[in-house]
Amino acid sequence: VLVLTGRDAIEDRVAGLDAGADDYLVKPFALDELMARLRALLRRGGGAEPILRYADLELDPARGTVMRAGKRLTLRPREYALLEYFLRHPERVLTRASIYEHVWEYSYDGMSNVLEVYVRYLRNSLEEHGPRLVHTVRGRGYVLRREDDA
């Protein structure tokens, strides 16, 4: 985060940096200086998302890859999004409504079985290389957990 502002008091700079900014640039500024600061921020990296892991499953958001038991999986885009949502909330029961909202980006109307279809696709892909990780919680939704924790 690079703060571009007209507020030049030391207290403002300290507050901006303490609030999470990586750099603070006061207006007016030279375009060359702005570009140099942006290049410095890009060199630092830190923008890459960490690899999501659970059991023998890995999802790398930066590369868009999924591995299970050391083998690379090929998932459809919606399966990938569904798995990513599960991996960001392991061992938490996710309701159908929350999954629809976060993966499909619309409200669950209770009439569609599209979620069940994609959970089945995802399970089939994952279970080729290991035990079940995506479990149904009757009347509530789905959960990502090891089979022995079920």
Side-chain angles (χ1 to χ4, degrees), residues 29-98:
F29 52 83
L31 187 58
D32 289 340
E33 181 181 9
L34 171 63
M35 297 307 291
R37 287 176 185 257
L38 289 172
R39 285 191 300 272
L41 287 172
L42 290 173
R43 279 194 305 271
R44 272 189 232 157
E49 292 186 65
I51 294 175
L52 303 172
R53 291 185 173 90
Y54 186 82
D56 61 349
L57 185 59
E58 289 185 0
L59 184 144
D60 184 344
R63 292 194 173 106
T65 59
V66 176
M67 304 284 284
R68 174 90 196 258
K71 302 210 175 21
R72 188 173 182 155
L73 305 181
T74 303
L75 301 179
R76 296 171 181 93
R78 196 66 72 180
E79 290 172 84
Y80 180 91
L82 184 58
L83 179 59
E84 184 174 4
Y85 188 57
F86 280 124
L87 283 166
R88 291 188 186 281
H89 304 90
E91 299 181 5
R92 287 181 39 199
V93 176
L94 302 175
T95 65
R96 286 172 172 74
S98 72

Side-chain angles (χ1 to χ4, degrees), residues 2-145:
L2 170 61
V3 173
L4 302 176
T5 181
R7 303 183 72 145
D8 63 351
I10 295 296
E11 302 85 40
D12 295 325
R13 293 174 195 220
V14 170
L17 293 168
D18 283 346
D22 297 300
D23 201 353
Y24 194 97
L25 186 58
V26 177
K27 297 188 285 186
F29 52 83
L31 187 58
D32 289 340
E33 181 181 9
L34 171 63
M35 297 307 291
R37 287 176 185 257
L38 289 172
R39 285 191 300 272
L41 287 172
L42 290 173
R43 279 194 305 271
R44 272 189 232 157
E49 292 186 65
I51 294 175
L52 303 172
R53 291 185 173 90
Y54 186 82
D56 61 349
L57 185 59
E58 289 185 0
L59 184 144
D60 184 344
R63 292 194 173 106
T65 59
V66 176
M67 304 284 284
R68 174 90 196 258
K71 302 210 175 21
R72 188 173 182 155
L73 305 181
T74 303
L75 301 179
R76 296 171 181 93
R78 196 66 72 180
E79 290 172 84
Y80 180 91
L82 184 58
L83 179 59
E84 184 174 4
Y85 188 57
F86 280 124
L87 283 166
R88 291 188 186 281
H89 304 90
E91 299 181 5
R92 287 181 39 199
V93 176
L94 302 175
T95 65
R96 286 172 172 74
S98 72
I99 295 170
Y100 273 110
E101 182 179 327
H102 289 91
V103 177
W104 275 267
E105 298 179 358
Y106 65 79
S107 297
Y108 175 58
D109 63 8
M111 300 301 289
S112 174
N113 73 336
V114 70
L115 176 56
E116 289 77 11
V117 170
Y118 277 93
V119 166
R120 186 178 71 234
Y121 290 158
L122 180 59
R123 281 179 175 157
N124 289 342
S125 296
L126 295 177
E127 291 173 17
E128 283 183 34
H129 305 290
R132 178 164 287 188
L133 290 175
V134 178
H135 300 272
T136 302
V137 180
R138 293 196 100 160
R140 294 185 60 207
Y142 296 95
V143 64
L144 178 70
R145 68 175 170 225

